[in-house]
Amino acid sequence: MDGLAHQLVAGIATGGIYAAVALALVMIYQATHHVNFAQGEMATFSTYIALTLIQAGLPYWVAFLATLVISFVLGVVIERVLLRPVHDAPVLTHVGIFIGLLLVFSNLSGWMFDYTVKAFPSPFEAGGPMLGGLVSGHELGSTAVTLAVLLLVFLFFRYTSLGLAMRAAAYNPVSARLVGIRVGWMLALGWGLAAAIGAVAGIMIAPVVFLEPNMMLGILLYAFAGALLGGIDNPGGAVLGGFAVGVIENLGGAYLVGTELKLTLALVIIIAVLLIKPSGLFGRVVVSRV
Amino acid sequence: MPVATAPARAESRPLVPLAILGLALLALAPTFLVEGYRLFQLTLAVIYAVAILGLNIVTGYNGQISLGHGAFYAVGAYATAIMMASFGMPYWATLPIAALICAGLGYAIGFPALRLGGLYLALTTFALAVAVPQILKYHAFEEWTGGVQGVFIAKPDAPFGLPLNADQWLYLFTTVIAVAIFLLSWNLLRSRIGRAMMAIRDQPIAAEAMGMDIARLKTRTFAVSAMITGIAGALSAIAVEFVSPDSFSVMLSITLFVGMVVGGIASILGAVFGGLFVVFVPNLAEEISKAAPGVIYGVILILFLFILPTGFAGFLRRLAGPLLRRWRDGATTNQDGR
């Protein structure tokens, strides 16, 4: 029973990471109807930046915040420079650019910071096992941080006028433009926010899985599964989906398929959602008028 | 089904098979002109060209974005390797069986994702590509797949006492099969079915209104495409004499995708350029740095999408001007991934 409880808690902890990446994916999806395949590699790159800053002697949380700012700027620049010009291009062009970004970032990480697997510090390690050994300090801390970030994002979109403007730009770009919202810049901000959220996920997962250029590839897959499970056009649903996938992954890995097929489990979840309930648990059913 | 048959196209037809015949002769020449490792690289380029053609049929001509064609390549390679190593079958006899297996798999994978827009297919196939090495390593299949170690097979010698060494025979064998596949694909894409594929890519609603069964055509296109890429994989197993899970990572699928974009989306000739590109450009780039091929790949991919969205083939077509354009089918210049 202890084992099951521990798997559940560990699942929620990794689920928080998936939820964050899923949220980043959904934010860009809502605004542009594209899925950023490079989201994971961008997060890995941000994590390397964080490690470099920490090694340069900055205190952990200063490096953390600085990384978020750098990632945000990077996201905005990518949207402005690479995606703005092809805004109306076919899906294939977008997918191609995302794949190009994926290649550039994953290999830049390897090139600039070399391919060896690196340990990443955690600010929560000092706590040791808590709640009767049920949860490690880092699991608790990283869950708290991801939850805090998710809450901040929610509050930002719900209660600030900038958040409202961004939502308006995503839901109805034409009307938003007519009331004076700069839709293009809202998209760029969305990209920046998504990159920053991805960076949080990368920094929080790195102490667990260790830092290497392909660190986020598997995580991106789980985030896809989470986003689809919750509904790819529903941020709240995607977050819940991310947590659910984390729990499913941990329980499935422990009792069902073993660690060898964990990635395949993500593939199975994706296919199962597409077959059974394509709109996800909380998504809107899209009816297109012909 | 009278879907816009331009009269100019019918007149100029005899020229095209002639051009293809010339290209085929050009393709066979290196058997005797190139030696050793260079010839092996050319063999690989031919194999990649076939794989990229497979991807191009589904993504370029039918508008279904697949980021996981490396999976079919892997299955084809493993099917051939296992049949040769475990069942002692001759290498040529494994090809049709590998092709059938991949066609079936393509049908099965394409089916669920077809219910939704192209993005979901891209997602599913991407997930498939990421999961492939793990599935190949799975211990339950170890008896056949050899687990992490993979499977070794022997390189075939030239049959009938032909005065060719193993490398030359391999190149000849691969190229003849590749030429056959290219000709068959050319025929398929110029046929009623090929026009229907492109109609579905460009105007799905109009196509459906004209009585085309979109779901059936899309799944079958996916199956054909998976089959062609699977044959390429099977050929690669014979050429490399070895299969292992880590040679079929997600990078393979991405490589095929890059080759398709750079060579030319929705262009048969583009697949040839793509094959040459993915074999020879990384070799050049590797001399700069270990990571450079990846970065250069990514940058080239983005540059092509911005500057030459029709790829190298489209660039050539534009250079060759109106004369060439008249006898080349106008439909292939139309690339729209929707």
Side-chain angles (χ1 to χ4, degrees), chain A residues 26-281:
Chain A
V26 167
M27 277 176 60
I28 292 181
Y29 180 83
Q30 269 199 313
T32 61
H33 284 265
H34 295 297
V35 168
N36 182 5
F37 287 90
Q39 198 80 60
E41 315 312 297
M42 284 166 62
T44 309
F45 191 73
S46 300
T47 313
Y48 273 107
I49 293 175
L51 185 65
T52 312
L53 292 177
I54 291 171
Q55 281 172 346
L58 286 182
Y60 183 90
W61 293 109
V62 176
F64 182 87
L65 287 177
T67 305
L68 295 200
V69 173
I70 295 171
S71 308
F72 182 87
V73 173
L74 198 65
V76 171
V77 169
I78 287 174
E79 202 282 337
R80 290 273 96 183
V81 175
L82 288 178
L83 291 151
R84 181 82 208 125
V86 295
H87 187 246
D88 299 319
V91 183
L92 188 57
T93 309
H94 285 259
V95 172
I97 288 175
F98 294 143
I99 293 295
L101 282 173
L102 183 153
L103 282 169
V104 168
F105 276 111
S106 92
N107 290 290
L108 262 188
S109 300
W111 200 6
M112 290 167 64
F113 309 102
D114 88 68
Y115 285 90
T116 51
V117 178
K118 292 187 169 73
F120 194 90
S122 163
F124 312 111
E125 222 63 276
M130 290 176 190
L131 304 181
L134 196 59
V135 50
S136 77
H138 179 75
E139 278 173 346
L140 201 63
S142 79
T143 312
V145 169
T146 41
L147 282 178
V149 167
L150 297 177
L151 186 68
L152 275 179
V153 171
F154 172 75
L155 293 176
F156 170 73
F157 278 111
R158 187 73 184 74
Y159 292 110
T160 66
S161 54
L162 186 59
L164 182 65
M166 285 175 69
R167 280 192 292 153
Y171 282 122
N172 195 337
V174 178
S175 303
R177 188 78 200 84
L178 285 175
V179 296
I181 295 168
R182 302 181 66 175
V183 173
W185 274 103
M186 294 302 124
L187 289 185
L189 284 185
W191 262 80
L193 262 184
I197 295 171
V200 173
I203 293 171
M204 286 299 128
I205 197 72
V208 183
V209 297
F210 297 106
L211 183 56
E212 47 106 10
N214 291 322
M215 176 181 81
M216 293 298 275
L217 196 58
I219 292 163
L220 183 70
L221 216 54
Y222 292 120
F224 280 156
L228 283 175
L229 184 64
I232 196 153
D233 52 8
N234 182 334
V239 167
L240 278 179
F243 278 108
V245 167
V247 172
I248 294 172
E249 179 227 343
N250 262 276
L251 293 183
Y255 302 108
L256 213 60
V257 294
T259 48
E260 277 178 275
L261 285 182
K262 272 190 165 185
L263 282 177
T264 316
L265 197 61
L267 176 66
V268 170
I269 295 175
I270 291 174
I271 293 184
V273 172
L274 289 185
L275 274 179
I276 299 164
K277 200 163 185 329
S279 54
L281 293 177

Side-chain angles (χ1 to χ4, degrees), chain B residues 34-45 155 167 279-280 283 286:
Chain B
V34 186
E35 274 183 61
Y37 184 61
R38 283 272 163 227
L39 191 60
F40 172 71
Q41 281 185 315
L42 271 181
T43 311
L44 277 188
K155 190 180 268 189
D167 283 335
V279 171
F280 290 103
N283 275 305
E286 218 149 59

Side-chain angles (χ1 to χ4, degrees), chain B residues 299-317:
Chain B
V299 171
I300 290 180
L301 177 62
I302 294 174
L303 279 182
F304 261 86
L305 286 168
F306 272 87
I307 301 165
L308 280 178
T310 49
F312 195 66
F315 176 65
L316 278 189
R317 211 177 293 138

Side-chain angles (χ1 to χ4, degrees), chain B residues 136-296:
Chain B
L136 292 175
K137 281 179 202 163
Y138 189 51
H139 65 81
F141 311 137
E142 218 161 43
E143 196 183 322
W144 295 291
T145 60
V148 184
Q149 272 88 40
V151 183
F152 286 90
I153 50 181
K155 190 180 268 189
D157 284 318
F160 323 120
L162 286 174
L164 297 168
N165 64 33
D167 283 335
Q168 284 176 316
W169 168 245
L170 198 64
Y171 178 79
L172 199 64
F173 177 72
T174 309
T175 308
V176 167
I177 289 179
V179 168
I181 292 175
F182 270 85
L183 277 176
L184 289 174
S185 306
W186 188 85
N187 262 333
L188 177 73
L189 292 169
R190 259 76 195 154
S191 70
R192 187 172 64 84
I193 295 172
R195 285 197 302 276
M197 283 181 193
M198 289 178 257
I200 286 173
R201 172 195 66 189
D202 296 334
Q203 296 289 346
I205 294 165
E208 191 157 34
M210 292 179 83
M212 296 176 198
D213 187 341
I214 292 192
R216 200 173 73 168
L217 232 129
K218 276 187 163 181
T219 34
R220 290 185 180 188
T221 307
F222 205 90
V224 167
S225 152
M227 180 180 80
I228 291 176
T229 303
I231 294 174
L235 289 170
S236 85
I238 299 169
V240 183
E241 304 169 67
F242 171 60
V243 291
S244 80
D246 292 317
S247 33
F248 303 109
S249 69
V250 67
M251 261 314 286
L252 173 64
S253 300
I254 291 178
T255 301
L256 296 180
F257 186 84
V258 175
M260 177 187 73
V261 172
V262 170
I265 297 166
S267 158
I268 291 180
L269 200 59
V272 178
F273 297 130
L276 291 169
F277 174 85
V278 300
V279 171
F280 290 103
V281 169
N283 275 305
L284 296 174
E286 218 149 59
E287 285 165 18
I288 304 174
S289 152
K290 187 187 162 202
V295 177
I296 292 174

